[in-house]
Amino acid sequence: MSAIPLIDIGANLTNRRFATDLDEVMARAREAGVAHIVITGTSENASRDALQLAQQHPGFMSATAGVHPHDARHWHSESADRLAELLSEPEVVAVGECGLDFNRDFSPRDQQLTCFEAQLQLAVELQKPVFLHQRDAHAAFLALLKKYRSQLKGAVVHCFTGATNELREYLELDCHIGITGWLCDPKRGADLRVQVRDIPVDRLMIETDAPYLTPKNLTQKPKNNRNEPALLPVVLEALAECRGESVEVLAEHTVRTSRAFFGLGN
Ligand SMILES: [Zn+2]
């Protein structure tokens, strides 16, 4: 375990899988050395819930506000205004998660593009960083990101699991990269374990993406295989091992980077 208090930059704590025992989940997170959690907003309603939760835990939690590409079909003429309202609260630190997902295609692609571009414009207007999701949509995603990148305050490609050229192009656009427990999967994470060596240390942040992406290398499986912020140190340790760095030094860097990126106080 790291002695440095960690920051989980992406946890879906408003997910119903946390509905009954959130207090215990938070207690375990603190015990594991997680000092701050950025709750991911994935729809108008989930973003509102995330803000509420963050307001109940000042200093320990922040939130993002956005519409996930899976939810893009619900994007409407007032969505941007509603998100802007949430984003005016000090606890809401980024626009997102937003982006494109052509892997699942839960929303039609044209609607995903509209919804993503509108949120990029919102982030430019409000000068908040963006929390980005991309799956199997690199070309279209990169084109839109490029169009707005110079005006964006910051951009993190969360849960990066893409190809090496995609990573290079994100870094060329001065994006930050969010690393999850995907790294702990010996099979699916094999490429990522090599790729993470080439990410500049000041562009790296860590996240659980709880309740998803439970690390595969755990000797003791959590109940119902649900991931939670208390497992963030597992991601940190895997990342340090892949990069050949000390856990302590890496922890310090990711925390400093996360604080600066999201504008979190000390
Ligand atoms: Zn995502």
Side-chain angles (χ1 to χ4, degrees):
M1 203 175 102
S2 150
I4 316 280
L6 305 176
I7 298 179
D8 186 348
I9 68 152
N12 300 277
L13 294 186
T14 64
N15 188 286
R16 59 189 148 83
R17 292 175 71 189
F18 291 115
T20 57
D21 64 343
L22 191 57
D23 286 342
E24 290 153 53
V25 168
M26 288 187 296
R28 281 196 292 270
R30 286 184 196 271
E31 215 166 288
V34 177
H36 196 90
I37 302 171
V38 182
I39 311 160
T40 309
T42 53
S43 67
E44 274 179 43
N45 286 338
S47 299
R48 196 169 301 114
D49 292 348
L51 167 62
Q52 242 167 44
L53 193 56
Q55 284 171 333
Q56 287 160 14
H57 302 276
F60 184 48
M61 289 186 183
S62 308
T64 68
V67 175
H68 192 284
H70 289 346
D71 234 57
R73 63 184 190 278
H74 300 304
W75 185 264
H76 57 92
S77 58
E78 277 157 48
S79 295
D81 285 348
R82 291 200 189 151
L83 291 182
E85 214 171 286
L86 298 176
L87 283 151
S88 70
E89 302 291 337
E91 292 85 359
V92 182
V93 292
V95 176
E97 87 178 86
C98 59
L100 300 174
D101 194 314
F102 295 172
N103 177 276
R104 306 278 195 100
D105 280 320
F106 287 158
S107 286
R109 294 185 179 182
D110 58 326
Q111 279 176 281
Q112 290 192 38
L113 289 162
T114 304
C115 174
F116 180 30
E117 183 158 16
Q119 290 178 85
L120 288 171
Q121 289 168 348
L122 189 62
V124 167
E125 197 182 303
L126 303 176
Q127 282 302 294
K128 295 263 188 180
V130 279
F131 187 87
L132 301 167
H133 172 109
Q134 187 277 117
R135 240 184 129 190
D136 292 355
H138 175 69
F141 176 89
L142 192 74
L144 270 179
L145 186 57
K146 261 191 181 151
K147 185 172 163 189
Y148 293 97
R149 181 62 189 97
S150 66
Q151 306 169 69
L152 284 168
K153 189 164 185 214
V156 57
V157 180
H158 116 95
C159 188
F160 176 78
T161 58
T164 302
N165 69 300
E166 298 178 9
L167 177 61
R168 199 188 52 238
E169 288 176 301
Y170 297 147
L171 290 172
E172 278 169 9
L173 281 181
D174 197 26
C175 290
H176 286 69
I177 307 293
I179 300 294
T180 59
W182 187 275
L183 194 65
C184 306
D185 186 329
K187 239 168 120 185
R188 292 198 303 176
D191 288 345
L192 187 60
R193 296 178 71 86
V194 178
Q195 291 163 341
V196 291
R197 295 180 202 154
D198 295 326
I199 303 173
V201 74
D202 61 352
R203 286 294 170 273
L204 263 179
M205 297 192 274
I206 53 173
E207 50 176 330
T208 56
D209 204 25
Y212 314 113
L213 297 177
T214 308
K216 281 255 172 18
N217 58 343
L218 300 174
T219 42
Q220 219 180 345
K221 302 277 172 218
K223 227 167 127 192
N224 304 322
N225 203 34
R226 183 187 68 177
N227 195 8
E228 61 177 67
L231 294 172
L232 188 65
V234 179
V235 178
L236 174 71
E237 278 156 30
L239 187 58
E241 186 200 309
C242 293
R243 290 171 59 88
E245 290 170 346
S246 89
V247 169
E248 295 293 308
V249 170
L250 187 59
E252 210 183 311
H253 274 287
T254 60
V255 167
R256 196 185 308 147
T257 303
S258 306
R259 288 205 185 283
F261 182 87
F262 291 105
L264 308 172
N266 282 304

